[in-house]
Amino acid sequence: MSTTNNLLRLAVVDDHPVVRDAYAAVMDTWPRGRVVLRAEHGLDYERQCAEVGHVHIALVDLDMPVRDGFETIRWIGRHQPRTKPVALTGDPQPHRVQRSLQAGSLGVLSKAGKASDLLRALEHVHLAGFHYNDLVSKELRRSVQDAAAARPAPGDLWAKLTPREREFVLLYAHPKGYHLTEVGQRMGIKPETAESHRKNVVAKLHAKTRADLVRMVVENGWG
């Protein structure tokens, strides 16, 4: 039997207190670990980690306010590479499962599942580094990994842009939501030149929408 000192440190991130406590109670029955952190959303998780310290496995609900599970899992990947995130969802549609894997989850659990499913996932993630179930097949994970490997690294994409194109991106993706004309004015260029920058940036970054550009700037810490 493990002693308290060598138990794995677990976290539950879910915005519903009753659900959060219920999952924590189940996780505490796992002989290898104990819950040391309960958070209501991703930002709360980040704040608590500053006090609690390292977490070995984090169970993360995908649907939360402030910072949802997809963004929280990405944050964990960037800032806590030794932490293993497992996604939890009440809406396990294929595209959401795939999106959570793309974010970096090492397993996906349905809220309709049993307590034994959660304990099995913890064991698999701890021992094998990933949990396969009816939601996540080996083929699906391989396809996500292959797609990620085929994508250029964020730094390589940013390097493709000229200095003026980078300036354009940071203005066009600014939280204040500048119109294309305003971006041009701030850059001291004509509207048609601003439109030319937009087309070049979209082509180089493979961004279909302005929202894609905003997401890329935020996720990759550009600027």
Side-chain angles (χ1 to χ4, degrees):
M1 175 67 76
S2 299
T3 64
T4 302
N5 289 335
N6 60 23
L7 288 173
L8 298 178
R9 297 162 62 81
L10 313 177
V12 186
V13 191
D14 192 295
D15 58 317
H16 295 287
V18 174
V19 174
R20 186 167 63 242
D21 290 346
Y23 278 105
V26 173
M27 294 168 75
D28 275 339
T29 67
W30 188 42
R32 296 183 188 271
R34 288 293 180 273
V35 174
V36 298
L37 189 159
R38 305 182 190 194
E40 60 182 332
H41 49 67
L43 187 57
D44 185 29
Y45 171 81
E46 179 181 349
R47 290 168 177 165
Q48 289 195 48
C49 281
E51 299 179 0
V52 173
H54 177 59
V55 169
H56 291 92
I57 302 176
L59 182 66
V60 184
D61 182 24
L62 294 179
D63 299 297
M64 299 180 292
V66 185
R67 180 188 289 165
D68 66 20
F70 300 104
E71 290 302 319
T72 300
I73 291 171
R74 289 192 187 94
W75 184 89
I76 289 173
R78 289 193 300 268
H79 301 279
Q80 299 177 332
R82 294 187 300 129
T83 298
K84 299 176 180 179
V86 176
L88 178 67
T89 178
D91 183 21
Q93 297 184 50
H95 71 279
R96 288 167 55 82
V97 172
Q98 183 171 357
R99 185 182 169 197
S100 70
L101 294 177
Q102 291 169 338
S105 64
L106 300 177
V108 185
L109 296 174
S110 169
K111 286 190 173 182
K114 301 177 181 178
S116 57
D117 296 330
L118 172 55
L119 296 177
R120 187 178 303 111
L122 293 174
E123 191 74 12
H124 288 174
V125 169
H126 169 57
L127 295 177
F130 198 87
H131 174 61
Y132 293 103
N133 57 9
D134 290 341
L135 296 179
V136 182
S137 65
K138 291 185 178 180
E139 290 74 17
L140 174 57
R141 188 190 182 197
R142 187 178 302 113
S143 68
V144 170
Q145 290 176 323
D146 289 345
R151 287 196 300 269
D156 294 337
L157 288 174
W158 190 243
K160 288 183 177 181
L161 305 182
T162 67
R164 289 293 270 173
E165 286 171 347
R166 294 174 190 173
E167 182 182 354
F168 173 85
V169 169
L170 297 181
L171 285 170
Y172 195 55
H174 196 280
K176 290 185 178 180
Y178 297 129
H179 295 298
L180 191 60
T181 301
E182 293 178 291
V183 172
Q185 290 173 345
R186 289 176 176 273
M187 293 181 66
I189 58 179
K190 297 179 180 179
E192 52 266 32
T193 305
E195 173 60 17
S196 178
H197 280 320
R198 188 194 67 79
K199 290 180 178 180
N200 290 339
V201 163
V202 166
K204 290 181 179 181
L205 298 183
H206 309 290
K208 296 180 180 179
T209 65
R210 183 175 186 169
D212 287 339
L213 285 176
V214 173
R215 177 182 56 77
M216 294 177 77
V217 169
V218 172
E219 289 183 1
N220 298 313
W222 291 343

